[in-house]
Amino acid sequence: MRDAKPKKETSPAKGGSAERQAGVRRTDAARIPGSSVHTSLASEIGLRIVRGDYPPGTILPNEAKWSETFSVSRSAVREAIKMLMAKSLLASRPKIGSWVEPKERWNLLDRDVLAWYATSPDREVFLKTVQEFRHIIEPEASAFAAMRRTDEQMAEISQACREMGEAPSLQERTRADTRFHLAILRASGNDLLVPLGVLIESAFDHLFTYTTRELDDLQHAQKMHEAIEKNIRLQRPDAARAAVRKLLANTDGVIRSR
């Protein structure tokens, strides 16, 4: 037995704009260059679900309606729905159709779901959630990296740190920042952290872009990253742990200032 029955209404939440209605095709509908039609369609529907156009329990339009709305085949719609079911955003039953699952069932470690979640109205809550995760994981991961990193892994960490300081644009700096932190997770020597880091890569990108825009002194942020790099390189686990906590506290302050 399910703990909640799907709602009968098939329209988005009240207050949604006219172009978000199922029967109106948005001219700016998401399209991923080089991707298949059903992947692009899944991205558009998934984004609408995560941002709240279709609240949990809402029954979505049927295949024919989606097909008409996006000018795609019904088979493309079916594949898109299957993708969203695999991410636990949707459930489906014959004679009922597809409905939005409760938020707690969504696979938030899925790259796509994270990306959609990061652009939703709950973005600030999302960023705080990412920060909580970092407080739980990164200080100890950095301490382990200081004890276990190989020369090759250290070179990767150092290069990412250097590229952060030399980046000519916010986008390139953010990418280097993400590489820096993921390289530390890999250098920790804990196999469970590696796939976890890859899964949250999208979340890191959004967080670092947000906080970098709010930091007036990029040199200060760079120095904190360099302190982490230095202590891992010199194999000082306690100092590396403390340096990460200092960086996280700084990021917390940026988020709170919003």
Side-chain angles (χ1 to χ4, degrees):
M1 296 289 292
R2 290 191 169 271
D3 54 5
K5 293 182 179 179
K7 299 175 185 177
K8 292 183 179 180
E9 52 266 58
T10 59
S11 60
K14 292 181 179 180
S17 61
E19 56 267 14
R20 291 184 183 176
Q21 302 298 321
V24 180
R25 177 179 172 82
R26 280 177 46 193
T27 57
D28 63 339
R31 289 294 177 267
I32 306 173
S35 69
S36 63
V37 173
H38 71 267
T39 299
S40 297
L41 181 58
S43 180
E44 175 66 14
I45 298 174
L47 177 59
R48 294 185 183 195
I49 291 171
V50 172
R51 75 185 177 195
D53 291 9
Y54 300 104
T58 300
I59 296 178
L60 296 183
N62 58 27
E63 287 181 10
K65 194 62 167 179
W66 282 129
S67 178
E68 177 186 353
T69 300
F70 290 98
S71 300
V72 297
S73 67
R74 291 196 182 189
S75 62
V77 174
R78 283 193 293 273
E79 290 302 314
I81 297 300
K82 287 180 182 178
M83 287 183 65
L84 295 174
M85 289 176 64
K87 300 175 188 296
S88 299
L89 266 66
L90 297 179
S92 182
R93 188 175 299 173
K95 298 183 180 180
I96 296 179
S98 301
W99 65 86
V100 180
E101 287 277 61
K103 185 177 179 179
E104 59 267 21
R105 295 184 184 175
W106 297 354
N107 181 8
L108 292 179
L109 291 181
D110 179 273
R111 284 178 180 270
D112 294 330
V113 178
L114 276 171
W116 302 330
Y117 193 14
T119 59
S120 72
D122 291 334
R123 183 187 184 199
E124 188 171 337
V125 174
F126 166 77
L127 294 177
K128 290 179 179 178
T129 300
V130 174
Q131 270 301 97
E132 288 179 0
F133 171 86
R134 297 183 69 199
H135 276 284
I136 294 169
I137 299 296
E138 288 195 57
E140 293 306 316
S142 296
F144 280 126
M147 293 184 287
R148 300 172 176 173
R149 56 78 175 168
T150 65
D151 291 342
E152 291 77 11
Q153 290 168 334
M154 191 65 241
E156 184 180 11
I157 294 170
S158 298
Q159 180 178 352
C161 186
R162 183 171 59 255
E163 289 176 353
M164 280 183 62
E166 298 173 352
S169 68
L170 171 62
Q171 184 180 41
E172 290 185 38
R173 186 183 191 282
T174 298
R175 288 175 179 170
D177 199 347
T178 300
R179 289 196 301 274
F180 176 79
H181 291 277
L182 294 182
I184 292 174
L185 292 182
R186 287 191 289 270
S188 72
N190 187 304
D191 291 341
L192 292 179
L193 291 181
V194 176
L196 188 59
V198 172
L199 284 170
I200 65 170
E201 183 175 350
S202 175
F204 276 14
D205 283 342
H206 286 281
L207 175 65
F208 297 153
T209 298
Y210 179 89
T211 56
T212 299
R213 284 174 175 166
E214 296 302 313
L215 284 172
D216 294 327
D217 188 359
L218 291 180
Q219 290 184 345
H220 177 58
Q222 181 64 24
K223 286 180 180 179
M224 287 189 286
H225 284 80
E226 289 173 355
I228 297 171
E229 186 273 343
K230 177 180 179 180
N231 287 302
I232 293 176
R233 176 164 41 84
L234 297 179
Q235 298 184 301
R236 300 171 177 170
D238 291 339
R241 183 188 295 111
V244 171
R245 286 175 175 162
K246 183 178 180 180
L247 175 65
L248 292 175
N250 182 78
T251 305
D252 289 341
V254 174
I255 294 176
R256 282 195 301 268
S257 68
R258 289 287 289 178

